[in-house]
Amino acid sequence: MKYDLKQAEKSLTKEFEYIDDIRDYNQKKVLKAFIDNKVAPEHFYTVSGYGHDDVGKEVLDKVFAQVFCAEAAIARNHFVSGTHALSCVLFGNLRFGDKLISVAGAPYDTMQEVIGTTGGKRESLIGHGILYDEIPLTETEEVDFERLESSIDKTVTMVEIQRSRGYSTRKSLNIETIKKIVSIVKSKNPDCICFVDNCYGEFVEKEEPLEAGADIIAGSLIKNPGGGIVETGGYIAGKQEYVEQAAMALTAPGIGAEGGAMLNQHRLIFQGLFMAPSIVSEAVKGAVLASKVFEDIGYKSTPRHDEPRTDIIQTIIFDKQEPLEHFCKTVQALSPVNSYVTPIPDDVPGYEDKVIMAGGTFIEGSTIELSADGPLRPPYAAYMQGGLNYAHIKLVLEGILEGI
């Protein structure tokens, strides 16, 4: 398809200036945390064995806590994924008979496995005697604030707020929406823990969920806050008591955040966090351009190019399987790694439907690097995320347009 990509870029000057302003604000915030906590070369050194007396680990946690406006934080390579970090928050802070509510419909597919709604396995939350409910979205796929208000009472121990949309077509929840959710929950039950799944959202806005009143957040280091160079891991940040409980779910009661050798990962995590605001801005610019392109050629694309954003995900709805597959195959073919591989739909652990995934990334599964995927179910939506540099995203969009 013949399409003037340069003209599309020129029309996005206002949107790109807005993204640059957020980048600069967040970069200043991150830099201040490094300066205030006196990050030095000795904090990059590693220890072995139990991982005790690790001054680098202590300072790393303080930097993450300051960046996310938390009382405490843990950033560890021991988390195998964002889902693992989220799971530790849930299992660390919920006990038999406690009640968890998801406030924006069903959570991400892998979290349904953790909760137990896909089969009630013994190892799930439900299998451990945790009560669970969810508040469906309205007919327009918005948070149902009226039902939220009527659902929260003294029996609710925790609400789960998924910032990003996951494999759904609902809007991602921006900071203002999260602030409204937390306000309603706290007005009905001040003791209820407001937990935000912050995956894909870090540094996309100037504020983070803890500044909106949330009690605890978690995310992955191979997404936004790892800056594209962290090899594995996740983070948890929030009120000290909740972070400590989550840390004990990661390691063991009595060990918590003290244990665990970092295996020479300190420098990468420090450096990745420092790079993150700029890397995220590149990904967001690419998503805005993708949105503009697909709107122009007749597809539904969300968010729209001129809408404020709260995560790095761009959804393009194709309504048919073939264009979804073409999209993902082109992303793979124009990736720096495994470009010769052709992605095919397949079963993926944690997902009910077959999923097609494109991800020629330097770090396996990294979604701050350019990747795309989508479950093979209506409305056949592609979920594009990441991009270490804007130029690469442009090249991929050119390739997709050539095949349409």
Side-chain angles (χ1 to χ4, degrees):
M1 174 181 287
K2 190 174 182 180
Y3 181 87
D4 193 341
L5 203 59
K6 288 188 177 180
Q7 185 58 43
E9 279 188 288
K10 289 177 181 178
S11 71
L12 296 172
T13 301
K14 180 180 177 182
E15 285 77 13
F16 285 1
E17 286 178 352
Y18 179 73
I19 294 166
D20 287 344
D21 179 57
I22 293 173
R23 176 200 62 201
D24 294 349
Y25 178 90
N26 284 321
Q27 191 66 66
K28 183 177 181 180
K29 176 170 63 175
V30 171
L31 177 60
K32 187 176 188 303
F34 275 68
I35 293 170
D36 289 351
N37 289 283
K38 298 181 173 62
V39 175
E42 55 264 32
H43 299 137
F44 305 155
Y45 305 153
T46 192
V47 299
S48 59
Y50 294 127
H52 295 159
D53 301 317
D54 186 341
V55 293
K57 187 165 61 179
E58 293 174 10
V59 172
L60 182 65
D61 289 349
K62 289 178 180 178
V63 170
F64 265 79
Q66 182 169 333
V67 166
F68 290 104
C69 301
E71 292 179 4
I74 53 171
R76 296 289 183 275
N77 53 306
H78 310 116
F79 292 112
V80 302
S81 65
T83 298
H84 185 198
L86 299 168
S87 179
C88 287
V89 172
L90 294 170
F91 279 98
N93 287 282
L94 294 172
R95 302 290 180 267
F96 182 89
D98 284 350
K99 186 175 182 179
L100 169 70
I101 291 182
S102 173
V103 304
Y108 195 68
D109 297 47
T110 56
M111 289 305 295
Q112 293 179 40
E113 293 277 342
V114 173
I115 294 166
T117 54
T118 56
K121 298 181 179 68
R122 289 181 61 189
E123 61 270 21
S124 69
L125 287 175
I126 291 173
H128 278 73
I130 307 300
L131 306 176
Y132 175 73
D133 198 3
E134 57 193 35
I135 299 173
L137 299 170
T138 64
E139 291 183 1
T140 56
E141 295 192 308
E142 302 281 351
V143 175
D144 191 334
F145 292 107
E146 289 186 12
R147 188 162 177 176
L148 172 65
E149 191 162 0
S150 65
S151 298
I152 303 299
D153 56 28
K154 297 296 182 182
T155 69
V156 181
T157 311
M158 178 187 287
V159 294
E160 191 266 353
I161 306 165
Q162 183 176 288
R163 182 173 179 178
S164 192
R165 66 187 60 198
Y167 281 155
S168 74
T169 53
R170 74 156 170 87
K171 290 181 179 179
S172 297
L173 307 182
N174 61 26
I175 295 299
E176 281 303 310
T177 302
I178 292 172
K179 190 177 295 185
K180 185 174 180 180
I181 291 169
V182 171
S183 177
I184 291 172
V185 170
K186 293 296 186 180
S187 71
K188 303 296 288 188
N189 180 359
D191 297 323
C192 183
I193 302 169
C194 291
F195 167 40
V196 177
D197 173 353
N198 207 28
C199 288
Y200 302 104
E202 298 92 348
F203 306 121
V204 178
E205 295 193 63
K206 290 183 177 180
E207 289 186 314
E208 297 292 337
L210 296 176
E211 296 169 86
D215 297 301
I216 189 165
I217 62 174
S220 168
L221 293 182
I222 61 170
K223 294 184 175 70
N224 301 21
I229 64 169
V230 178
E231 295 180 331
T232 189
Y235 77 94
I236 296 169
K239 291 186 176 177
Q240 186 165 350
E241 61 179 306
Y242 303 139
V243 173
E244 287 177 352
Q245 292 295 323
M248 285 189 275
L250 172 64
T251 56
I255 295 178
E258 294 297 320
M262 294 290 284
L263 305 177
N264 211 31
Q265 295 292 302
H266 298 77
R267 182 191 62 78
L268 282 175
I269 299 175
F270 274 115
Q271 189 172 353
L273 179 64
F274 182 74
M275 293 168 61
S278 291
I279 297 295
V280 168
S281 74
E282 293 285 284
V284 174
K285 285 181 180 178
V288 169
L289 179 61
S291 182
K292 171 67 174 170
V293 167
F294 282 96
E295 287 167 24
D296 287 350
I297 64 176
Y299 289 100
K300 182 179 179 182
S301 188
T302 62
R304 289 182 54 82
H305 74 276
D306 54 356
E307 286 184 294
R309 290 169 183 263
T310 193
D311 65 15
I312 62 171
I313 296 178
Q314 185 61 44
T315 305
I316 300 105
I317 298 174
F318 292 108
D319 292 319
K320 293 180 182 178
Q321 181 172 329
E322 293 76 13
L324 168 59
E325 290 194 35
H326 166 70
F327 184 94
C328 291
K329 287 176 180 178
T330 306
V331 171
Q332 186 74 48
L334 294 174
S335 293
V337 180
N338 277 344
S339 59
Y340 60 91
V341 173
T342 301
I344 59 173
D346 202 359
D347 296 315
V348 177
Y351 300 91
E352 289 294 295
D353 300 281
K354 288 185 182 296
V355 178
I356 184 167
M357 290 188 166
T361 56
F362 293 95
I363 294 166
E364 187 206 352
S366 171
T367 45
I368 188 58
E369 299 181 59
L370 182 59
S371 59
D373 48 46
L376 295 191
R377 64 187 182 214
Y380 296 102
Y383 297 86
M384 181 186 115
Q385 57 264 322
L388 295 179
N389 61 74
Y390 172 72
H392 179 216
I393 301 170
K394 278 172 51 179
L395 290 170
V396 171
L397 290 173
E398 288 174 357
I400 292 170
L401 288 167
E402 286 174 5
I404 292 179

